[in-house]
């Protein structure tokens, strides 16, 4: 990462603002919901071996909306089960929002929520130190492998926690998305070196292939309106540029050459299509589903 640039994750307030704007401008949550409603139920039907109690771990759960939708599908496929749900989320703001959501939603008394305000690596350390032996039937890591030092090691650890017939669900940006092209081109300038920030499902598949590990994968079409990014000084545009580049105050701190190069690439047909005066970025996601290591 260029030494003059700071990672957006260093400023939680601006990160949350840019993330909220990203959700408003993209079909991210909608495409996840389509997957959860149409494909996830059959996946969840195969876990649990008929047990009356299931263990779930959500890693990087954010404010919990997607988690609760997945848990409702779990309940549909396994009526009458009780669920132990470990929530792992480092942002106190997001964890608070999740707790508020749970308190307002009726019918969740079959779930015991365990709140862990920690990163996935802190959770891993906590698990090892306490010599935990509990196994999980379903673990999900949605849009969080960007924030770990070693995605492969993180996957290995959580895969080791799976019960027989357990499933590990990973959702990340697709290697075929505009993000993939942006990161392949500007990884050295934009991406923080102490976390794996610029990782896509393409990288995860390569890692799993190298281990000879089988997995299932799906592509989720998604898009994002980035039109404002091309209006100098536009507040929304600047927040979206921060989110796209993962750089704090990108417009103000990037060199003119880097800024011009990034804006040109974002407009390139490899990343976006232009239609009716709008620039629509390819925000496709990829899903990877992994079984217990045998």
């Amino acid at each position: 990462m260029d030494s003059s640039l700071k990672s957006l994750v260093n400023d939680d307030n601006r990160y949350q603002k840019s993330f909220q704007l990203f959700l408003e401008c993209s079909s991210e949550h909608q495409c996840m919901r389509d997957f959860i409603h149409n494909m996830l139920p059959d996946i969840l039907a195969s876990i649990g071996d008929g047990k009356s109690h299931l263990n779930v771990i959500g890693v990087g759960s954010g404010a919990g909306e997607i988690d609760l939708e997945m848990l409702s599908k779990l309940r549909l496929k396994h009526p009458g089960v009780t669920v132990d749900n470990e929530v792992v989320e480092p942002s106190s703001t997001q964890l608070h929002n999740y707790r508020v959501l749970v308190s307002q939603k009726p019918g969740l008394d079959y779930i015991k929520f365990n709140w862990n305000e920690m990163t996935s690596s802190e959770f891993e350390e906590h698990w090892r130190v306490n010599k935990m032996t509990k196994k999980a039937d379903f673990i999900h890591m949605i849009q969080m492998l960007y924030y770990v030092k070693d995605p492969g090691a993180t996957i290995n650890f959580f895969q080791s926690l799976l019960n027989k017939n357990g499933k590990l669900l990973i959702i990340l940006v697709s290697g075929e998305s505009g993000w993939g092209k942006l990161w392949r081109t500007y990884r050295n300038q934009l991406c923080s070196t102490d976390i794996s920030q610029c990782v896509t499902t393409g990288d995860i598949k390569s890692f799993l292939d190298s281990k000879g590990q089988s997995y299932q994968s799906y592509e989720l079409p998604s898009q994002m309106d980035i039109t404002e990014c091309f209006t100098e000084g536009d507040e929304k545009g600047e927040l979206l540029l921060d989110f796209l580049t993962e750089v704090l105050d990108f417009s103000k701190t990037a060199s003119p050459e880097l800024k011009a190069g990034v804006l040109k690439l974002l407009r390139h047909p490899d990343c976006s299509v232009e239609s009716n005066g709008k620039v629509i970025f390819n925000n496709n996601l990829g899903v990877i589903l992994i079984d217990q290591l045998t």
Side-chain angles (χ1 to χ4, degrees):
M1 186 177 195
D2 281 3
S3 56
S4 60
L5 303 179
K6 284 198 175 77
S7 178
L8 180 61
V9 294
N10 293 337
D11 184 333
D12 190 55
N13 188 38
R14 188 159 174 94
Y15 178 85
Q16 300 299 342
K17 269 176 82 172
S18 63
F19 177 59
Q20 277 311 121
L21 183 61
F22 159 70
L23 291 180
E24 289 164 27
C25 294
S26 76
S27 59
E28 168 108 351
H29 271 185
Q30 190 51 53
C31 83
M32 282 188 203
R33 287 192 172 99
D34 290 345
F35 170 77
I36 289 166
H37 289 283
N38 299 327
M39 301 177 87
L40 187 65
D42 287 345
I43 293 165
L44 293 176
S46 67
I47 70 170
D49 278 343
K51 292 182 303 191
S52 61
H53 181 79
L54 297 174
N55 291 325
V56 175
I57 303 176
V59 192
S61 286
E65 301 103 321
I66 297 294
D67 283 31
L68 294 187
E69 293 205 28
M70 289 193 287
L71 287 164
S72 74
K73 297 301 170 198
L74 186 68
R75 178 77 160 171
L76 268 178
K77 287 294 174 181
H78 302 273
V81 298
T82 53
V83 174
D84 201 65
N85 185 39
E86 295 282 351
V87 179
V88 183
E89 171 54 54
S91 165
S92 56
T93 308
Q94 294 285 62
L95 210 56
H96 171 74
N97 292 342
Y98 194 155
R99 294 178 104 138
V100 169
L101 189 64
V102 167
S103 70
Q104 293 169 344
K105 214 171 176 67
L108 296 179
D109 43 352
Y110 69 97
I111 307 170
K112 177 175 179 272
F113 289 90
N114 304 309
W115 307 101
N116 302 277
E117 189 182 317
M118 52 183 81
T119 64
S120 67
S121 55
E122 287 166 348
F123 180 77
E124 188 174 336
E125 179 68 12
H126 161 77
W127 202 268
R128 291 188 201 285
V129 166
N130 291 292
K131 298 186 169 59
M132 305 280 279
T133 55
K134 186 169 80 170
K135 295 289 184 184
D137 301 288
F138 180 50
I139 302 175
H140 53 86
M141 307 158 79
I142 294 180
Q143 295 288 45
M144 61 68 62
L145 281 173
Y146 319 110
Y147 309 111
V148 302
K149 281 190 169 64
D150 184 340
T154 301
I155 290 169
N156 286 344
F157 168 70
F158 283 101
Q159 190 180 16
S160 77
L161 303 187
L162 287 176
N163 244 327
K164 181 170 175 272
N165 290 345
K167 299 281 184 193
L168 170 58
L169 173 76
I170 296 167
I171 298 183
L172 281 175
V173 295
S174 164
E176 307 306 309
S177 67
W179 298 94
K181 176 69 176 172
L182 178 66
W183 290 342
R184 282 192 295 276
T185 310
Y186 287 107
R187 184 183 296 264
N188 293 341
Q189 290 100 310
L190 297 178
C191 294
S192 174
T193 50
D194 54 349
I195 50 177
S196 63
Q197 209 164 15
C198 295
V199 66
T200 70
T201 50
D203 301 309
I204 302 305
K205 288 176 186 176
S206 297
F207 164 73
L208 294 171
D209 290 342
S210 73
K211 283 178 36 178
Q213 169 79 54
S214 64
Y215 56 89
Q216 293 163 270
S217 67
Y218 312 89
E219 288 282 309
L220 309 183
S222 175
Q223 56 189 37
M224 169 184 178
D225 183 349
I226 61 169
T227 312
E228 278 98 347
C229 292
F230 303 95
T231 305
E232 188 74 38
D234 185 280
E235 189 188 355
K236 272 177 77 173
E238 293 198 348
L239 274 170
L240 283 175
L241 271 176
D242 280 17
F243 195 79
L244 281 161
T245 59
E246 294 277 338
V247 170
L248 183 62
D249 292 320
F250 176 76
S251 279
K252 298 183 178 77
T253 56
S255 69
E257 298 78 23
L258 178 59
K259 187 177 170 185
V262 165
L263 286 171
K264 184 179 178 187
L265 183 66
L266 287 175
R267 234 183 170 131
H268 191 279
D270 284 349
C271 287
S272 299
V273 294
E274 298 200 36
S275 169
N276 300 325
K278 300 268 185 202
V279 183
I280 306 298
F281 183 73
N282 178 333
N283 184 58
N284 287 5
L285 302 180
V287 175
I288 295 177
L289 200 64
I290 308 172
D291 295 326
Q292 180 196 42
L293 202 54
T294 47

